[in-house]
Amino acid sequence: MPNVKFFSGENIPLEMHKVRMVQRVYLNPIEERANSIKEAGYNTFLLRNRDIFLDMLTDSGVNAMSENQYASMLQADDSYAGSETYYRLESVLQDMFNMQYFLPAHQGRACEHIIAKLLVTPGSTAVMNYHFTTTKAHICMVGGEIEEIIIDEGLQISSELPFKGNLDIEKLKASIARLGKDKICFVRIEAGTNLVGGQPVSMDNMREVSKICRAEGLTLVYDASLLSDNLYFIKTRDPNFKDTDIREITREIGSMMDIIYFSARKLGAARGGGILTSNNEMFMKMREMIPLYEGFLTYGGMSVREMEAMAIGLQESMDMDIISQTPIFVEVLCKELLAKGVPVVTPPGGLGCHVDARQFCEHIPQEKYPAGALAAAFYLCSGVRGMERGTLSEQRNPDGSETLAHMELLRLAFPKRVFTLSQVKYVADRLTWLYENRKLIGGLTFEEEPRVLRFFFGRLKPLTNWPDELLKKFRADFGESL
Ligand SMILES: *Cc1c(COP(=O)(O)O)cnc(C)c1O
């Protein structure tokens, strides 16, 4: 998606694809939206898609597929064991990451389950730039702990640092010295660090971490779910890689890691996931678990159609014109919001625009879930569904107290190649309105709180009747308009 110079003098990002199939969406009146969010327990995960105008909850499994991906699904080779589809996918992945073995799994967290069972022992620690919700849950489930060693700036909302997802090398050395390498089950690098604003990791940083892990005999695991955005940033933010083909960059990343896993719901714009390694011993151990938890080795819980689409999608993700729409739209949205004073994570990352709910709702304490309240309020005033990424997404401590998140974010994710520029402008406009009226937003409290991954299906209620007040103000300002 190149920026093209217009006659007007503006540089405007231009889509390098055309839309050949569309889905009708509806923008319900705010009164209906008020009912919908109430019925959803003020948790955007519990909204029904029919009540949503733009679904910016996640990019997971909702990216637009290409005509070639759809076409490939027709040639899927249906077979429980030994499907040609599997061998096509395997060879694409082996070539892409320059790794020897591939194990299929039905999605990213399924890979995390297998890897946690392979590497984590009770009392051990996984050291990583930052956790992802399902990653942490799987490590903790088998008795492990996590330690986060992202550079300090990674947790600051505003910054100019191009690679805010980097691991702090000094912190890594300190963790090794303090814990002892026998207590570290693995070191994990997450591409495009999800929970802190889709921030990338630099090649230099990965090289250095890899060198240390090799020297210490530590296993290095790479979560490549958000690799596309990270590759875009390596190309555009690191002058050393400006002219390097992203295929070459990806193969170099492969050469640094012991295990790579990914969610194909993100990487490759399909469904499914998988694990790669060149380590025969690890491969043999993981191979035993795949049929137990996922499915036979040549499908791993995926349909052959999904696997064909994934094989094509993965190859297409090695093209800058294809992977650039999300980071460019994120940048456009962030810039429009910043111009109006709305606090967002900078520099703009991949995945989506991340609004800083702590500043946005500075009058709401963290225990009253400012990011969750902001997500509910934004749906109410726009029909746009975002996701809370803050204290609600954390788990309570064993004593029942809250784990206060480092950041309180409203994430507005961009499914790949799904939205248009005018829709991005609508999001910016309604969010700016909400910012002007932010004092009307109030806190939330749990009505029903699940013990694990509570953000997925917990139900909440507003502490005051603030949604009504917001609705009234919206009607006063927008009249009959949607
Ligand atoms: C989405 C995601 C996962 C989990 O993948 P699923 O396919 O949703 O299970 C793991 N890691 C990261 C960084 C992700 O963004």
Side-chain angles (χ1 to χ4, degrees):
M1 199 176 171
N3 271 311
V4 172
K5 196 174 171 73
F6 276 38
F7 187 48
S8 65
E10 277 179 290
N11 278 318
I12 298 197
L14 211 54
E15 284 86 352
M16 286 296 116
H17 57 261
K18 60 180 182 179
V19 179
R20 294 175 56 212
M21 195 191 284
V22 294
Q23 180 181 355
R24 176 83 165 87
V25 286
Y26 298 89
L27 179 52
N28 295 336
I30 187 168
E31 290 78 9
E32 281 180 36
R33 303 198 296 261
N35 279 334
S36 304
I37 193 70
K38 188 173 172 196
E39 273 169 27
Y42 294 88
N43 178 352
T44 55
F45 271 101
L46 299 180
L47 285 165
R48 291 181 66 151
N49 206 25
R50 64 174 188 199
D51 299 322
I52 292 163
F53 173 46
L54 302 178
D55 191 3
M56 304 183 81
L57 185 76
T58 172
D59 63 332
S60 179
V62 288
N63 300 297
M65 294 209 297
S66 70
E67 56 186 347
N68 288 329
Q69 284 183 286
Y70 280 110
S72 72
M73 292 172 111
L74 294 176
Q75 58 160 17
D77 183 25
D78 252 325
S79 172
Y80 186 91
S83 154
E84 274 308 299
T85 295
Y86 169 79
Y87 292 107
R88 273 195 281 274
L89 177 61
E90 180 191 45
S91 88
V92 165
L93 279 158
Q94 284 166 333
D95 179 58
M96 190 169 145
F97 289 107
N98 196 21
M99 280 191 147
Q100 221 169 330
Y101 307 110
F102 166 61
L103 293 161
H106 80 275
Q107 65 182 96
R109 71 201 66 183
C111 306
E112 290 169 339
H113 175 214
I114 305 269
I115 293 166
K117 278 222 153 61
L118 172 77
L119 298 175
V120 180
T121 49
S124 67
T125 301
V127 177
M128 57 190 72
N129 48 349
Y130 209 75
H131 78 280
F132 181 69
T133 50
T134 55
T135 323
K136 184 174 172 180
H138 277 294
I139 292 166
C140 295
M141 198 82 96
V142 282
E145 286 173 36
I146 62 144
E147 188 159 300
E148 289 161 334
I149 55 162
I150 194 165
I151 52 170
D152 289 344
E153 216 152 337
L155 298 179
Q156 287 166 17
I157 296 291
S158 10
S159 161
E160 311 235 305
L161 217 62
F163 293 100
K164 261 169 69 176
N166 279 357
L167 289 79
D168 187 319
I169 299 299
E170 291 313 311
K171 286 186 198 167
L172 174 59
K173 288 178 181 162
S175 297
I176 298 170
R178 183 166 36 79
L179 297 163
K181 54 189 176 191
D182 296 340
K183 284 280 178 204
I184 297 178
C185 47
F186 61 89
V187 176
R188 172 177 172 274
I189 300 179
E190 183 180 308
T193 331
N194 191 327
L195 294 193
V196 296
Q199 299 295 321
V201 182
S202 74
M203 285 298 268
D204 286 344
N205 190 245
M206 283 187 266
R207 282 173 180 161
E208 212 164 339
V209 171
S210 173
K211 208 167 105 192
I212 292 171
C213 288
R214 297 253 149 103
E216 300 281 351
L218 291 168
T219 301
L220 183 56
V221 176
Y222 189 62
D223 181 344
S225 303
L226 305 183
L227 177 67
S228 291
D229 293 337
N230 207 128
L231 286 171
Y232 171 86
F233 291 124
I234 289 170
K235 282 279 288 180
T236 54
R237 291 184 185 173
D238 186 340
N240 291 329
F241 291 92
K242 191 163 71 66
D243 300 318
T244 313
D245 191 305
I246 52 181
R247 280 179 194 78
E248 213 176 297
I249 300 174
T250 308
R251 286 171 72 87
E252 189 186 335
I253 294 174
S255 74
M256 299 180 214
M257 307 298 162
D258 298 303
I259 293 178
I260 292 181
Y261 75 93
F262 62 95
S263 166
R265 298 176 63 83
K266 289 115 185 223
L267 182 64
R271 313 279 185 280
I275 306 171
L276 290 124
T277 183
S278 291
N279 181 312
N280 181 265
E281 199 186 321
M282 288 183 191
F283 168 72
M284 295 304 269
K285 285 187 187 155
M286 287 192 282
R287 198 174 72 161
E288 287 178 0
M289 291 188 259
I290 298 289
L292 192 57
Y293 299 115
E294 298 300 303
F296 189 67
L297 284 173
T298 57
Y299 73 90
M302 291 182 276
S303 80
V304 282
R305 285 161 200 82
E306 285 171 352
M307 287 160 71
E308 288 286 356
M310 186 170 148
I312 301 294
L314 288 167
Q315 292 173 83
E316 289 178 347
S317 70
M318 296 285 103
D319 177 341
M320 279 295 273
D321 274 345
I322 289 194
I323 63 174
S324 57
Q325 195 204 35
T326 293
I328 288 176
F329 272 10
V330 172
E331 192 181 342
V332 168
L333 182 52
C334 285
K335 278 191 177 155
E336 291 219 4
L337 291 171
L338 284 169
K340 298 283 167 31
V342 183
V344 295
V345 171
T346 56
L351 183 59
C353 170
H354 294 75
V355 184
D356 178 19
R358 206 182 265 165
Q359 279 183 70
F360 202 112
C361 302
E362 59 183 358
H363 54 291
I364 305 176
Q366 271 189 289
E367 292 83 358
K368 294 177 180 166
Y369 313 126
L374 179 57
F378 188 50
Y379 168 75
L380 180 66
C381 74
S382 67
V384 177
R385 165 158 80 164
M387 187 194 289
E388 192 268 3
R389 293 276 81 153
T391 297
L392 260 182
S393 297
E394 296 288 339
Q395 209 156 303
R396 280 187 196 270
N397 299 311
D399 69 359
S401 62
E402 290 279 3
T403 306
L404 299 180
H406 292 128
M407 288 174 145
E408 293 289 341
L409 303 176
L410 164 63
R411 186 183 83 184
L412 299 169
F414 281 98
K416 295 179 182 77
R417 295 186 292 172
V418 168
F419 298 137
T420 62
L421 207 50
S422 55
Q423 290 170 332
V424 176
K425 286 182 178 293
Y426 171 80
V427 173
D429 180 79
R430 288 298 189 265
L431 201 52
T432 304
W433 178 84
L434 187 58
Y435 186 64
E436 296 285 313
N437 294 284
R438 60 190 180 276
K439 289 286 184 294
L440 291 176
I441 307 172
L444 296 172
T445 183
F446 268 104
E447 216 170 34
E448 190 190 313
E449 184 176 348
R451 242 170 11 91
V452 182
L453 298 174
R454 61 182 183 173
F455 60 92
F456 275 138
F457 47 95
R459 299 184 64 84
L460 300 110
K461 61 176 188 219
L463 287 161
T464 61
N465 68 342
W466 63 262
D468 295 338
E469 297 304 318
L470 205 55
L471 187 155
K472 271 187 229 155
K473 183 69 170 43
F474 181 94
R475 273 285 164 251
D477 287 355
F478 290 102
E480 294 294 295
S481 175
L482 295 168

